[in-house]
Structure formats: C-alpha cells, structure tokens
Amino acid sequence: MKLTIRFDIGYGPATITTTLATLVAWERKFKMKTSDLADNFGMEDMAFMAWHSAKVQTEHGQSIPVEFDSFVNKLVEIEIVSTASTNPTKADHTATP
C-alpha cells in the first residue's frame, strides 16, 4: 500500500509518498498491522506516515522536526491525495477464442 499525502507545516504544501519502511515503522509504533488501516485510520496515523516519509524524502525542501509531536504541532493542513496497492491483484483470465 502506498499513500500520497500532502501536508503543510507552515512552509507551504509538500507531498510525500509512503514507503515500506514507513509502514513498518507505523506497525512498530502503533502495534498494529497495516491490514488494520482499512477499519482504523485516524489523523495520527496519517500524520505519522507523513512525518516519517518526509524525514527521508527531502526533495520537498522543508525542515522536518526531529520529534513527531513537534511535527504534529506545526501541521496546518494534511490530506491523502491518492492511494495505491503495492500488490495489485491480478486480473482473472478469461477464455477467449
């Protein structure tokens, strides 16, 4: 699963895309599996994923706080722009003559 998240911590909007490392870090911090996200996705989850990804993806050019709570306190806006499955299901084969 990949999420593209747009956030603004006071420097203007920036966009990141989650990675496998972000999802693993989220699972470790919240003691949940990513499969649980479908039923339990909150603002803290989205903020954590944006913060974790933004620390590594520096092309947005913004200074990202070292501590997660500092990042949350600076958030002006955050939203999911798009989602994509990292393991898309294969299409069923059909018999065509």
Side-chain angles (χ1 to χ4, degrees), residues 73-87:
N73 287 333
K74 289 184 168 203
L75 273 174
V76 175
E77 185 177 354
I78 188 166
E79 66 179 334
I80 295 176
V81 178
S82 68
T83 62
S85 174
T86 54
N87 295 319

Side-chain angles (χ1 to χ4, degrees), residues 1-96:
M1 172 181 70
K2 287 188 177 189
L3 298 175
T4 301
I5 301 172
R6 181 179 301 123
F7 67 92
D8 185 345
I9 55 173
Y11 305 118
T15 304
I16 57 85
T17 301
T18 58
T19 63
L20 178 60
T22 297
L23 297 175
V24 170
W26 177 87
E27 286 184 341
R28 289 177 178 170
K29 177 172 176 60
F30 294 100
K31 308 287 189 253
M32 295 174 70
K33 299 292 181 194
T34 53
S35 59
D36 298 331
L37 286 172
D39 297 325
N40 262 340
F41 192 73
M43 294 302 290
E44 184 177 26
D45 302 314
M46 185 174 13
F48 179 82
M49 290 181 185
W51 169 74
H52 188 273
S53 295
K55 291 189 307 176
V56 177
Q57 298 173 25
T58 57
E59 58 273 3
H60 50 72
Q62 299 192 16
S63 176
I64 303 301
V66 174
E67 294 182 4
F68 173 60
D69 287 339
S70 297
F71 178 81
V72 171
N73 287 333
K74 289 184 168 203
L75 273 174
V76 175
E77 185 177 354
I78 188 166
E79 66 179 334
I80 295 176
V81 178
S82 68
T83 62
S85 174
T86 54
N87 295 319
T89 57
K90 294 180 181 178
D92 288 336
H93 293 285
T94 58
T96 53

